[in-house]
Every structure is written in structure tokens, then in C-alpha cells.
């Protein structure tokens, strides 16, 4: 049986340690990005979102409405900023709307 690193370790610290030691952060980031997109963009945009994919620091969003895709393309930088603030880290540097 392994010795505990610290008897008084907080649960959040233990989880962070587990995530980093098992290299799970990228997978968690991919899940978090989907949740944040759905929370921050609202039901009107989520309704037309058909796919969300994070590759590296690029977020690919597939939309079923070409009009909405055009509208969102004008606010690309603002969308990136909103999503990164909700994620509490600078995860996304590029947004590709398809």
C-alpha cells in the first residue's frame, strides 16, 4: 500500500495531483470547453451547434446555420475571451467556425 503524500491534503489538491499524474487535463479541457460553450453562448446558438472540438488551442465549432456562422465570425475575439474567462485559463487562442 502506498503512503499518503500528506495526511492533511485537501480534496481539491488530491484531485489536481491525480489529474496531473495521470495526464487527464487535456481530456477534461475538451469536456469543459463543450460545457462552457453551451453555458455562455445560450440556447439560440447552441440549437445550431452541431459539433464542438478542441484540438490543441484551436476550438472548432460546426454550425448548421451559415447566417449564424457569419454573424459569430465578426465577434471571434470576444467569444474567445468570454470562453477563456469562463474556463479560468487561456486555453483557446483560435476559433474556427464551420
Amino acid at each position: 500500500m502506498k503512503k499518503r503524500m500528506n495526511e492533511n491534503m485537501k480534496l481539491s489538491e488530491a484531485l489536481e495531483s491525480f489529474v496531473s499524474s495521470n495526464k487527464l487535463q487535456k481530456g477534461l479541457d475538451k469536456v469543459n470547453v463543450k460545457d462552457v460553450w453551451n453555458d455562455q453562448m445560450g440556447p439560440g446558438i447552441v440549437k445550431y451547434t452541431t459539433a464542438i472540438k478542441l484540438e490543441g488551442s484551436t476550438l472548432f465549432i460546426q454550425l448548421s446555420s451559415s447566417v449564424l456562422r457569419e454573424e459569430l465570425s465578426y465577434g471571434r475575439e470576444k467569444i474567445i475571451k468570454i470562453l477563456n474567462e469562463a474556463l479560468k485559463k487561456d486555453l483557446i487562442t483560435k476559433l474556427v467556425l464551420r
Side-chain angles (χ1 to χ4, degrees):
M1 190 167 168
K2 272 189 173 181
K3 249 187 183 179
R4 289 185 190 187
M5 291 173 60
N6 181 349
E7 289 292 328
N8 298 323
M9 182 183 275
K10 291 182 183 175
L11 181 59
S12 61
E13 293 169 347
L15 287 172
E16 284 176 24
S17 174
F18 178 79
V19 167
S20 66
S21 66
N22 290 292
K23 298 180 175 119
L24 300 175
Q25 193 58 52
K26 284 184 182 180
L28 287 174
D29 287 342
K30 289 178 182 183
V31 171
N32 290 340
V33 163
K34 290 179 182 180
D35 290 342
V36 166
W37 175 266
N38 292 334
D39 290 343
Q40 297 298 313
M41 300 311 288
I45 293 173
V46 170
K47 184 170 114 178
Y48 294 102
T49 303
T50 57
I52 302 169
K53 187 176 182 182
L54 180 66
E55 286 184 10
S57 63
T58 303
L59 181 61
F60 294 91
I61 301 293
Q62 190 163 347
L63 299 164
S64 60
S65 167
S66 58
V67 175
L68 179 60
R69 183 171 47 248
E70 186 69 24
E71 282 294 315
L72 290 179
S73 70
Y74 296 119
R76 225 178 274 258
E77 294 302 316
K78 185 176 181 183
I79 292 169
I80 291 171
K81 184 179 177 197
I82 290 168
L83 296 176
N84 281 332
E85 284 177 3
L87 290 163
K88 297 181 179 124
K89 61 179 167 180
D90 291 332
L91 182 65
I92 303 163
T93 58
K94 184 177 178 186
L95 177 64
V96 176
L97 301 168
R98 297 178 171 165

